[in-house]
Tab-separated table of all heavy atoms in Angstrom:
chain	number	residue	atom	x	y	z
A	182	MET	N	143.915	99.302	104.136
A	182	MET	CA	143.256	99.111	105.497
A	182	MET	C	143.097	100.589	106.069
A	182	MET	O	143.664	101.441	105.700
A	182	MET	CB	144.096	98.215	106.251
A	182	MET	CG	144.404	96.947	105.868
A	182	MET	SD	142.908	95.973	105.707
A	182	MET	CE	143.430	94.628	104.640
A	183	THR	N	142.099	100.595	106.944
A	183	THR	CA	141.909	101.831	107.699
A	183	THR	C	142.676	101.977	108.851
A	183	THR	O	143.066	101.031	109.467
A	183	THR	CB	140.277	101.964	108.002
A	183	THR	OG1	140.039	100.778	108.745
A	183	THR	CG2	139.490	101.914	106.697
A	184	GLN	N	142.899	103.175	109.244
A	184	GLN	CA	143.585	103.487	110.528
A	184	GLN	C	142.891	104.427	111.374
A	184	GLN	O	142.138	105.330	110.842
A	184	GLN	CB	145.008	103.966	110.232
A	184	GLN	CG	145.878	102.999	109.672
A	184	GLN	CD	147.284	103.636	109.351
A	184	GLN	OE1	147.498	104.738	109.379
A	184	GLN	NE2	148.237	102.682	109.217
A	185	HIS	N	142.984	104.373	112.699
A	185	HIS	CA	142.310	105.335	113.559
A	185	HIS	C	143.245	106.582	113.696
A	185	HIS	O	144.402	106.523	113.912
A	185	HIS	CB	142.143	104.668	114.930
A	185	HIS	CG	141.510	105.558	115.953
A	185	HIS	ND1	140.235	105.873	115.967
A	185	HIS	CD2	142.178	106.248	116.982
A	185	HIS	CE1	139.982	106.688	116.978
A	185	HIS	NE2	141.078	106.913	117.652
A	186	VAL	N	142.582	107.712	113.622
A	186	VAL	CA	143.236	109.038	113.766
A	186	VAL	C	142.854	109.610	115.129
A	186	VAL	O	141.698	109.775	115.357
A	186	VAL	CB	142.981	109.977	112.594
A	186	VAL	CG1	143.659	111.309	112.839
A	186	VAL	CG2	143.340	109.295	111.314
A	187	ARG	N	143.766	109.944	115.892
A	187	ARG	CA	143.372	110.458	117.296
A	187	ARG	C	143.205	111.972	117.111
A	187	ARG	O	143.894	112.723	116.442
A	187	ARG	CB	144.629	110.246	118.185
A	187	ARG	CG	144.293	110.673	119.575
A	187	ARG	CD	145.427	110.418	120.493
A	187	ARG	NE	145.561	108.934	120.562
A	187	ARG	CZ	145.929	108.212	121.633
A	187	ARG	NH1	146.158	108.823	122.743
A	187	ARG	NH2	145.997	106.954	121.562
A	188	ASP	N	142.209	112.409	117.783
A	188	ASP	CA	141.840	113.835	117.825
A	188	ASP	C	142.639	114.493	118.804
A	188	ASP	O	142.732	114.193	120.014
A	188	ASP	CB	140.336	114.008	118.051
A	188	ASP	CG	139.897	115.379	117.983
A	188	ASP	OD1	140.531	116.184	117.269
A	188	ASP	OD2	138.792	115.810	118.450
A	189	LYS	N	143.429	115.584	118.455
A	189	LYS	CA	144.281	116.202	119.313
A	189	LYS	C	143.717	117.576	119.884
A	189	LYS	O	144.507	118.416	120.432
A	189	LYS	CB	145.618	116.590	118.586
A	189	LYS	CG	146.419	115.315	118.312
A	189	LYS	CD	146.910	114.726	119.476
A	189	LYS	CE	147.787	113.535	119.032
A	189	LYS	NZ	148.405	112.915	120.203
A	190	GLU	N	142.441	117.858	119.812
A	190	GLU	CA	141.917	118.971	120.413
A	190	GLU	C	141.852	118.956	121.999
A	190	GLU	O	141.676	117.892	122.515
A	190	GLU	CB	140.402	119.157	119.837
A	190	GLU	CG	140.358	119.409	118.390
A	190	GLU	CD	138.900	119.668	117.949
A	190	GLU	OE1	137.978	119.806	118.909
A	190	GLU	OE2	138.641	119.721	116.771
A	191	HIS	N	142.018	120.088	122.502
A	191	HIS	CA	142.089	120.153	123.971
A	191	HIS	C	140.591	120.033	124.550
A	191	HIS	O	140.453	119.543	125.638
A	191	HIS	CB	142.726	121.441	124.507
A	191	HIS	CG	144.066	121.419	124.103
A	191	HIS	ND1	145.035	120.640	124.778
A	191	HIS	CD2	144.834	122.243	123.204
A	191	HIS	CE1	146.294	120.954	124.222
A	191	HIS	NE2	146.131	121.771	123.215
A	192	GLU	N	139.658	120.529	123.924
A	192	GLU	CA	138.279	120.535	124.394
A	192	GLU	C	137.504	119.237	123.797
A	192	GLU	O	136.966	119.355	122.688
A	192	GLU	CB	137.576	121.797	123.990
A	192	GLU	CG	138.108	123.100	124.625
A	192	GLU	CD	137.486	124.242	124.167
A	192	GLU	OE1	136.388	124.135	123.590
A	192	GLU	OE2	137.994	125.359	124.315
A	193	THR	N	137.539	118.108	124.485
A	193	THR	CA	136.906	116.961	124.120
A	193	THR	C	135.696	116.674	124.954
A	193	THR	O	135.375	117.373	125.980
A	193	THR	CB	137.794	115.725	124.145
A	193	THR	OG1	138.301	115.629	125.422
A	193	THR	CG2	138.940	115.922	123.174
A	194	ALA	N	134.877	115.724	124.625
A	194	ALA	CA	133.652	115.460	125.292
A	194	ALA	C	133.887	115.108	126.819
A	194	ALA	O	134.862	114.345	127.082
A	194	ALA	CB	132.946	114.291	124.661
A	195	LEU	N	133.150	115.627	127.704
A	195	LEU	CA	133.177	115.279	129.119
A	195	LEU	C	134.462	115.713	129.709
A	195	LEU	O	134.856	115.082	130.697
A	195	LEU	CB	132.828	113.818	129.367
A	195	LEU	CG	131.495	113.292	128.934
A	195	LEU	CD1	131.342	111.909	129.107
A	195	LEU	CD2	130.292	114.101	129.610
A	196	GLY	N	135.161	116.629	129.120
A	196	GLY	CA	136.529	117.046	129.715
A	196	GLY	C	137.613	116.124	129.653
A	196	GLY	O	138.572	116.281	130.397
A	197	ALA	N	137.460	115.035	128.822
A	197	ALA	CA	138.576	114.090	128.792
A	197	ALA	C	139.842	114.700	127.987
A	197	ALA	O	139.623	115.451	127.048
A	197	ALA	CB	138.043	112.847	128.134
A	198	SER	N	140.916	114.254	128.405
A	198	SER	CA	142.142	114.691	127.692
A	198	SER	C	142.444	113.929	126.466
A	198	SER	O	142.173	112.696	126.484
A	198	SER	CB	143.299	114.683	128.693
A	198	SER	OG	144.517	114.950	128.071
A	199	ALA	N	142.865	114.553	125.463
A	199	ALA	CA	143.182	113.859	124.118
A	199	ALA	C	144.433	112.930	124.331
A	199	ALA	O	144.685	112.035	123.564
A	199	ALA	CB	143.423	114.844	123.033
A	200	ASP	N	145.254	113.308	125.314
A	200	ASP	CA	146.528	112.416	125.556
A	200	ASP	C	146.364	111.171	126.332
A	200	ASP	O	147.282	110.393	126.442
A	200	ASP	CB	147.613	113.411	126.119
A	200	ASP	CG	147.946	114.468	125.327
A	200	ASP	OD1	147.971	114.306	124.166
A	200	ASP	OD2	148.336	115.593	125.796
A	201	ILE	N	145.183	110.948	127.000
A	201	ILE	CA	144.922	109.847	127.779
A	201	ILE	C	144.515	108.664	126.799
A	201	ILE	O	143.462	108.859	125.993
A	201	ILE	CB	143.781	110.099	128.848
A	201	ILE	CG1	144.271	111.171	129.747
A	201	ILE	CG2	143.424	108.846	129.554
A	201	ILE	CD1	143.107	111.471	130.791
A	202	ASP	N	145.083	107.477	126.933
A	202	ASP	CA	144.622	106.314	126.219
A	202	ASP	C	143.472	105.755	126.798
A	202	ASP	O	143.519	105.409	127.982
A	202	ASP	CB	145.841	105.371	126.199
A	202	ASP	CG	146.970	105.707	125.371
A	202	ASP	OD1	146.726	106.583	124.414
A	202	ASP	OD2	148.061	105.304	125.645
A	203	VAL	N	142.440	105.538	126.059
A	203	VAL	CA	141.251	104.984	126.490
A	203	VAL	C	141.221	103.488	125.919
A	203	VAL	O	141.311	103.349	124.707
A	203	VAL	CB	139.943	105.741	125.858
A	203	VAL	CG1	138.649	104.972	126.344
A	203	VAL	CG2	139.988	107.150	126.385
A	204	PRO	N	141.093	102.554	126.812
A	204	PRO	CA	141.096	101.118	126.375
A	204	PRO	C	139.984	100.924	125.453
A	204	PRO	O	138.774	101.288	125.626
A	204	PRO	CB	140.938	100.312	127.605
A	204	PRO	CG	141.171	101.211	128.694
A	204	PRO	CD	140.870	102.619	128.319
A	205	GLY	N	140.206	100.155	124.327
A	205	GLY	CA	139.176	99.784	123.324
A	205	GLY	C	138.914	100.862	122.285
A	205	GLY	O	138.017	100.672	121.452
A	206	ARG	N	139.618	101.985	122.314
A	206	ARG	CA	139.254	103.074	121.472
A	206	ARG	C	140.241	103.031	120.240
A	206	ARG	O	139.813	103.671	119.197
A	206	ARG	CB	139.407	104.419	122.100
A	206	ARG	CG	138.403	104.590	123.164
A	206	ARG	CD	136.997	104.884	122.646
A	206	ARG	NE	136.853	106.011	121.809
A	206	ARG	CZ	136.258	107.168	122.137
A	206	ARG	NH1	135.832	107.320	123.385
A	206	ARG	NH2	136.269	108.135	121.253
A	207	ASP	N	141.378	102.475	120.309
A	207	ASP	CA	142.355	102.514	119.370
A	207	ASP	C	142.178	101.314	118.382
A	207	ASP	O	141.853	100.211	118.875
A	207	ASP	CB	143.887	102.574	119.882
A	207	ASP	CG	144.169	103.805	120.428
A	207	ASP	OD1	143.584	104.860	120.144
A	207	ASP	OD2	145.011	103.899	121.482
A	208	ALA	N	142.349	101.499	117.060
A	208	ALA	CA	142.372	100.393	116.163
A	208	ALA	C	143.617	99.630	116.243
A	208	ALA	O	144.690	100.211	116.140
A	208	ALA	CB	142.001	100.893	114.779
A	209	THR	N	143.595	98.423	116.361
A	209	THR	CA	144.717	97.566	116.295
A	209	THR	C	145.051	97.018	114.906
A	209	THR	O	144.221	96.709	114.269
A	209	THR	CB	144.588	96.272	117.285
A	209	THR	OG1	143.472	95.568	116.889
A	209	THR	CG2	144.422	96.738	118.775
A	210	PRO	N	146.311	97.108	114.488
A	210	PRO	CA	146.605	96.689	113.120
A	210	PRO	C	146.535	95.208	112.882
A	210	PRO	O	146.665	94.333	113.824
A	210	PRO	CB	148.063	97.007	112.980
A	210	PRO	CG	148.628	97.134	114.348
A	210	PRO	CD	147.434	97.602	115.256
A	211	GLY	N	145.758	94.795	111.741
A	211	GLY	CA	145.473	93.437	111.525
A	211	GLY	C	144.202	92.842	111.929
A	211	GLY	O	143.766	91.877	111.390
A	212	ARG	N	143.510	93.532	112.747
A	212	ARG	CA	142.142	93.089	113.108
A	212	ARG	C	141.121	93.557	112.152
A	212	ARG	O	141.168	94.675	111.675
A	212	ARG	CB	141.809	93.658	114.507
A	212	ARG	CG	142.494	93.000	115.592
A	212	ARG	CD	141.981	93.176	117.006
A	212	ARG	NE	140.756	92.567	117.163
A	212	ARG	CZ	139.875	92.797	118.035
A	212	ARG	NH1	140.184	93.739	118.930
A	212	ARG	NH2	138.757	92.175	118.076
A	213	GLY	N	140.159	92.782	111.760
A	213	GLY	CA	139.346	93.190	110.770
A	213	GLY	C	139.632	92.988	109.359
A	213	GLY	O	138.903	93.243	108.524
A	214	GLY	N	140.878	92.526	109.070
A	214	GLY	CA	141.356	92.310	107.664
A	214	GLY	C	140.498	91.268	106.963
A	214	GLY	O	140.166	91.405	105.805
A	215	LEU	N	140.259	90.194	107.753
A	215	LEU	CA	139.498	89.068	107.132
A	215	LEU	C	138.187	89.524	106.797
A	215	LEU	O	137.544	89.282	105.781
A	215	LEU	CB	139.536	87.907	108.099
A	215	LEU	CG	138.773	86.711	107.591
A	215	LEU	CD1	139.425	86.146	106.267
A	215	LEU	CD2	138.792	85.535	108.575
A	216	LEU	N	137.463	90.289	107.732
A	216	LEU	CA	136.064	90.792	107.555
A	216	LEU	C	136.045	91.758	106.328
A	216	LEU	O	135.066	91.755	105.571
A	216	LEU	CB	135.605	91.414	108.793
A	216	LEU	CG	135.228	90.456	109.949
A	216	LEU	CD1	134.829	91.243	111.140
A	216	LEU	CD2	134.285	89.458	109.572
A	217	GLU	N	137.053	92.579	106.277
A	217	GLU	CA	137.140	93.553	105.191
A	217	GLU	C	137.239	92.789	103.809
A	217	GLU	O	136.587	93.154	102.769
A	217	GLU	CB	138.266	94.474	105.342
A	217	GLU	CG	138.299	95.631	104.295
A	217	GLU	CD	139.359	96.667	104.629
A	217	GLU	OE1	140.054	96.571	105.604
A	217	GLU	OE2	139.493	97.499	103.729
A	218	LEU	N	138.075	91.778	103.703
A	218	LEU	CA	138.285	90.988	102.568
A	218	LEU	C	137.005	90.221	102.204
A	218	LEU	O	136.656	90.228	101.049
A	218	LEU	CB	139.414	89.953	102.802
A	218	LEU	CG	139.722	88.983	101.628
A	218	LEU	CD1	140.181	89.771	100.384
A	218	LEU	CD2	140.659	87.947	102.064
A	219	LEU	N	136.408	89.708	103.258
A	219	LEU	CA	135.015	88.993	103.044
A	219	LEU	C	133.995	90.048	102.440
A	219	LEU	O	133.274	89.796	101.496
A	219	LEU	CB	134.530	88.445	104.242
A	219	LEU	CG	133.220	87.656	104.172
A	219	LEU	CD1	133.330	86.537	103.265
A	219	LEU	CD2	132.769	87.266	105.510
A	220	GLY	N	133.998	91.121	102.939
A	220	GLY	CA	132.928	92.202	102.477
A	220	GLY	C	133.176	92.567	101.060
A	220	GLY	O	132.413	92.671	100.185
A	221	LEU	N	134.528	92.882	100.669
A	221	LEU	CA	134.980	93.225	99.466
A	221	LEU	C	134.681	92.031	98.399
A	221	LEU	O	134.152	92.283	97.242
A	221	LEU	CB	136.373	93.554	99.369
A	221	LEU	CG	136.761	94.826	99.977
A	221	LEU	CD1	138.222	95.086	99.966
A	221	LEU	CD2	136.073	96.005	99.240
A	222	THR	N	134.788	90.865	98.863
A	222	THR	CA	134.506	89.593	97.956
A	222	THR	C	133.089	89.558	97.752
A	222	THR	O	132.592	89.353	96.579
A	222	THR	CB	135.055	88.330	98.660
A	222	THR	OG1	136.443	88.507	98.923
A	222	THR	CG2	134.809	87.141	97.760
A	223	LEU	N	132.220	89.770	98.725
A	223	LEU	CA	130.788	89.836	98.520
A	223	LEU	C	130.316	90.851	97.666
A	223	LEU	O	129.449	90.670	96.652
A	223	LEU	CB	130.043	89.902	99.917
A	223	LEU	CG	130.167	88.661	100.798
A	223	LEU	CD1	129.537	88.989	102.130
A	223	LEU	CD2	129.462	87.396	100.145
A	224	VAL	N	130.912	92.099	97.771
A	224	VAL	CA	130.588	93.113	96.867
A	224	VAL	C	130.901	92.899	95.372
A	224	VAL	O	130.141	93.158	94.407
A	224	VAL	CB	131.149	94.511	97.454
A	224	VAL	CG1	130.942	95.513	96.288
A	224	VAL	CG2	130.403	94.863	98.658
A	225	ALA	N	132.189	92.265	95.260
A	225	ALA	CA	132.561	92.010	93.866
A	225	ALA	C	131.690	90.926	93.312
A	225	ALA	O	131.343	90.958	92.099
A	225	ALA	CB	134.008	91.561	93.970
A	226	GLY	N	131.354	89.931	94.074
A	226	GLY	CA	130.479	88.942	93.577
A	226	GLY	C	129.096	89.398	93.212
A	226	GLY	O	128.577	89.007	92.124
A	227	ALA	N	128.610	90.359	94.035
A	227	ALA	CA	127.290	90.975	93.658
A	227	ALA	C	127.343	91.695	92.348
A	227	ALA	O	126.493	91.612	91.540
A	227	ALA	CB	126.712	91.712	94.832
A	228	GLY	N	128.411	92.415	92.192
A	228	GLY	CA	128.700	93.201	90.898
A	228	GLY	C	128.751	92.350	89.687
A	228	GLY	O	128.184	92.575	88.710
A	229	ILE	N	129.447	91.230	89.851
A	229	ILE	CA	129.572	90.308	88.732
A	229	ILE	C	128.237	89.628	88.486
A	229	ILE	O	127.793	89.518	87.363
A	229	ILE	CB	130.639	89.269	89.042
A	229	ILE	CG1	131.937	89.864	89.021
A	229	ILE	CG2	130.574	88.150	87.982
A	229	ILE	CD1	133.241	89.017	89.481
A	230	LEU	N	127.471	89.316	89.413
A	230	LEU	CA	126.176	88.703	89.356
A	230	LEU	C	125.172	89.638	88.691
A	230	LEU	O	124.355	89.308	87.878
A	230	LEU	CB	125.676	88.190	90.654
A	230	LEU	CG	124.359	87.383	90.639
A	230	LEU	CD1	124.581	86.175	89.844
A	230	LEU	CD2	123.875	87.139	92.000
A	231	PHE	N	125.342	90.918	89.012
A	231	PHE	CA	124.517	91.912	88.345
A	231	PHE	C	124.729	92.053	86.852
A	231	PHE	O	123.762	92.305	86.102
A	231	PHE	CB	124.689	93.301	88.981
A	231	PHE	CG	123.890	94.457	88.318
A	231	PHE	CD1	122.520	94.459	88.587
A	231	PHE	CD2	124.512	95.364	87.596
A	231	PHE	CE1	121.755	95.586	87.994
A	231	PHE	CE2	123.763	96.372	87.021
A	231	PHE	CZ	122.404	96.433	87.200
A	232	VAL	N	125.965	91.901	86.400
A	232	VAL	CA	126.246	91.922	84.959
A	232	VAL	C	125.852	90.744	84.274
A	232	VAL	O	125.253	90.751	83.207
A	232	VAL	CB	127.698	92.251	84.819
A	232	VAL	CG1	128.244	92.155	83.310
A	232	VAL	CG2	128.178	93.605	85.359
A	233	VAL	N	126.123	89.581	84.855
A	233	VAL	CA	125.870	88.251	84.249
A	233	VAL	C	124.408	87.954	84.267
A	233	VAL	O	123.842	87.460	83.177
A	233	VAL	CB	126.782	87.080	84.923
A	233	VAL	CG1	126.489	85.852	84.313
A	233	VAL	CG2	128.204	87.472	84.773
A	234	ARG	N	123.765	88.085	85.389
A	234	ARG	CA	122.333	87.537	85.464
A	234	ARG	C	121.460	88.749	86.130
A	234	ARG	O	121.214	88.712	87.286
A	234	ARG	CB	122.211	86.404	86.431
A	234	ARG	CG	122.986	85.151	85.952
A	234	ARG	CD	122.500	84.516	84.708
A	234	ARG	NE	121.197	84.112	84.845
A	234	ARG	CZ	120.815	82.728	84.942
A	234	ARG	NH1	121.723	81.912	84.980
A	234	ARG	NH2	119.583	82.359	85.010
A	235	PRO	N	121.159	89.750	85.382
A	235	PRO	CA	120.296	90.883	85.953
A	235	PRO	C	118.978	90.466	86.388
A	235	PRO	O	118.342	91.331	87.141
A	235	PRO	CB	120.359	91.914	84.794
A	235	PRO	CG	120.669	91.160	83.507
A	235	PRO	CD	121.411	89.969	83.970
A	236	GLU	N	118.438	89.366	85.799
A	236	GLU	CA	117.086	89.023	86.258
A	236	GLU	C	116.934	88.712	87.717
A	236	GLU	O	115.827	88.868	88.293
A	236	GLU	CB	116.594	87.880	85.408
A	236	GLU	CG	117.321	86.576	85.574
A	236	GLU	CD	118.483	86.474	84.582
A	236	GLU	OE1	118.769	87.382	83.840
A	236	GLU	OE2	119.024	85.334	84.418
A	237	PHE	N	118.052	88.358	88.432
A	237	PHE	CA	117.910	88.169	89.881
A	237	PHE	C	117.632	89.384	90.666
A	237	PHE	O	116.919	89.421	91.552
A	237	PHE	CB	119.214	87.485	90.291
A	237	PHE	CG	119.532	86.065	90.019
A	237	PHE	CD1	120.803	85.753	89.629
A	237	PHE	CD2	118.502	85.227	89.994
A	237	PHE	CE1	120.977	84.376	89.308
A	237	PHE	CE2	118.614	83.863	89.587
A	237	PHE	CZ	119.857	83.467	89.263
A	238	TYR	N	118.258	90.466	90.160
A	238	TYR	CA	118.047	91.950	90.812
A	238	TYR	C	116.630	92.301	90.492
A	238	TYR	O	116.010	92.932	91.295
A	238	TYR	CB	119.070	92.882	90.331
A	238	TYR	CG	120.356	92.606	91.047
A	238	TYR	CD1	121.423	91.812	90.278
A	238	TYR	CD2	120.655	92.986	92.284
A	238	TYR	CE1	122.684	91.598	90.970
A	238	TYR	CE2	121.796	92.758	92.959
A	238	TYR	CZ	122.786	92.088	92.236
A	238	TYR	OH	123.952	91.741	92.864
A	239	GLU	N	116.081	92.020	89.235
A	239	GLU	CA	114.809	92.468	88.863
A	239	GLU	C	113.766	91.724	89.847
A	239	GLU	O	112.791	92.329	90.196
A	239	GLU	CB	114.538	92.105	87.427
A	239	GLU	CG	115.355	93.062	86.428
A	239	GLU	CD	115.192	92.526	85.071
A	239	GLU	OE1	114.304	91.721	84.775
A	239	GLU	OE2	115.812	93.205	84.178
A	240	ALA	N	113.954	90.354	90.052
A	240	ALA	CA	113.142	89.675	90.871
A	240	ALA	C	113.153	90.106	92.333
A	240	ALA	O	112.165	90.239	93.018
A	240	ALA	CB	113.440	88.073	90.883
A	241	GLY	N	114.320	90.520	92.706
A	241	GLY	CA	114.524	91.054	94.133
A	241	GLY	C	113.827	92.307	94.258
A	241	GLY	O	113.181	92.562	95.347
A	242	VAL	N	113.907	93.170	93.296
A	242	VAL	CA	113.243	94.479	93.460
A	242	VAL	C	111.671	94.261	93.414
A	242	VAL	O	111.047	94.977	94.072
A	242	VAL	CB	113.737	95.459	92.325
A	242	VAL	CG1	112.798	96.568	92.204
A	242	VAL	CG2	115.193	95.842	92.498
A	243	HIS	N	111.265	93.252	92.573
A	243	HIS	CA	109.765	93.034	92.476
A	243	HIS	C	109.275	92.499	93.888
A	243	HIS	O	108.219	92.943	94.323
A	243	HIS	CB	109.546	92.145	91.421
A	243	HIS	CG	108.183	91.543	91.319
A	243	HIS	ND1	107.172	92.523	90.794
A	243	HIS	CD2	107.552	90.553	91.620
A	243	HIS	CE1	105.982	91.867	90.805
A	243	HIS	NE2	106.126	90.592	91.370
A	244	ILE	N	109.979	91.651	94.486
A	244	ILE	CA	109.677	91.044	95.778
A	244	ILE	C	109.643	92.226	96.840
A	244	ILE	O	108.607	92.327	97.636
A	244	ILE	CB	110.506	89.995	96.236
A	244	ILE	CG1	110.428	88.715	95.390
A	244	ILE	CG2	110.373	89.566	97.703
A	244	ILE	CD1	111.419	87.645	95.518
A	245	LEU	N	110.535	93.026	96.937
A	245	LEU	CA	110.643	94.221	97.812
A	245	LEU	C	109.491	95.068	97.572
A	245	LEU	O	108.869	95.656	98.591
A	245	LEU	CB	111.994	94.894	97.872
A	245	LEU	CG	113.232	94.170	98.434
A	245	LEU	CD1	114.425	94.882	98.202
A	245	LEU	CD2	112.963	93.866	99.828
A	246	ALA	N	109.221	95.391	96.354
A	246	ALA	CA	108.104	96.396	96.085
A	246	ALA	C	106.684	95.722	96.453
A	246	ALA	O	105.891	96.468	96.902
A	246	ALA	CB	108.122	96.671	94.606
A	247	THR	N	106.490	94.514	96.170
A	247	THR	CA	105.209	93.945	96.542
A	247	THR	C	105.101	93.792	98.051
A	247	THR	O	104.081	94.090	98.486
A	247	THR	CB	105.062	92.529	96.003
A	247	THR	OG1	106.161	91.698	96.248
A	247	THR	CG2	104.906	92.567	94.385
A	248	ARG	N	106.224	93.451	98.744
A	248	ARG	CA	106.150	93.559	100.204
A	248	ARG	C	105.822	94.856	100.824
A	248	ARG	O	105.005	95.028	101.797
A	248	ARG	CB	107.313	92.842	100.776
A	248	ARG	CG	107.426	91.398	100.651
A	248	ARG	CD	108.495	90.775	101.338
A	248	ARG	NE	108.508	89.249	101.160
A	248	ARG	CZ	109.371	88.507	101.557
A	248	ARG	NH1	110.424	89.023	102.407
A	248	ARG	NH2	109.481	87.256	101.356
A	249	ALA	N	106.380	95.915	100.256
A	249	ALA	CA	106.218	97.251	100.693
A	249	ALA	C	104.727	97.681	100.315
A	249	ALA	O	104.113	98.375	101.181
A	249	ALA	CB	107.180	98.190	99.974
A	250	ALA	N	104.316	97.327	99.260
A	250	ALA	CA	102.900	97.712	98.855
A	250	ALA	C	101.887	96.982	99.827
A	250	ALA	O	100.942	97.555	100.088
A	250	ALA	CB	102.658	97.309	97.468
A	251	SER	N	102.262	95.778	100.202
A	251	SER	CA	101.310	94.971	101.034
A	251	SER	C	101.283	95.650	102.464
A	251	SER	O	100.251	95.473	103.177
A	251	SER	CB	101.653	93.450	101.132
A	251	SER	OG	102.986	93.321	101.742
A	252	LEU	N	102.403	96.282	102.867
A	252	LEU	CA	102.367	96.940	104.192
A	252	LEU	C	101.616	98.117	104.265
A	252	LEU	O	101.048	98.488	105.278
A	252	LEU	CB	103.891	97.179	104.627
A	252	LEU	CG	104.755	95.987	104.967
A	252	LEU	CD1	106.184	96.476	105.158
A	252	LEU	CD2	104.289	95.271	106.153
A	253	VAL	N	101.433	98.727	103.088
A	253	VAL	CA	100.769	99.991	102.968
A	253	VAL	C	99.177	99.747	103.077
A	253	VAL	O	98.433	100.448	103.635
A	253	VAL	CB	101.124	100.793	101.636
A	253	VAL	CG1	100.155	102.037	101.456
A	253	VAL	CG2	102.529	101.261	101.714
A	254	HIS	N	98.790	98.649	102.407
A	254	HIS	CA	97.382	98.318	102.377
A	254	HIS	C	96.938	97.754	103.587
A	254	HIS	O	97.114	97.151	104.391
A	254	HIS	CB	97.030	97.451	101.184
A	254	HIS	CG	97.072	98.164	99.946
A	254	HIS	ND1	98.281	98.188	99.205
A	254	HIS	CD2	96.171	98.923	99.277
A	254	HIS	CE1	97.981	98.872	98.070
A	254	HIS	NE2	96.819	99.358	98.131
């Protein structure tokens, strides 16, 4: 999981002190874990699908290329 690292420089934007806690700026532990798991699952599924059925990706590239070509004309 990722963690927020606080910048300890004295010269920060708009003269704000690095020692002042800003609400909503710190990452809370445990939040976003489910979304990260869902994202990793989708990426793993797409990778497996690419290996098992590469014709789906060929069709997708073909559709994107024809739509891009139609926008140019």
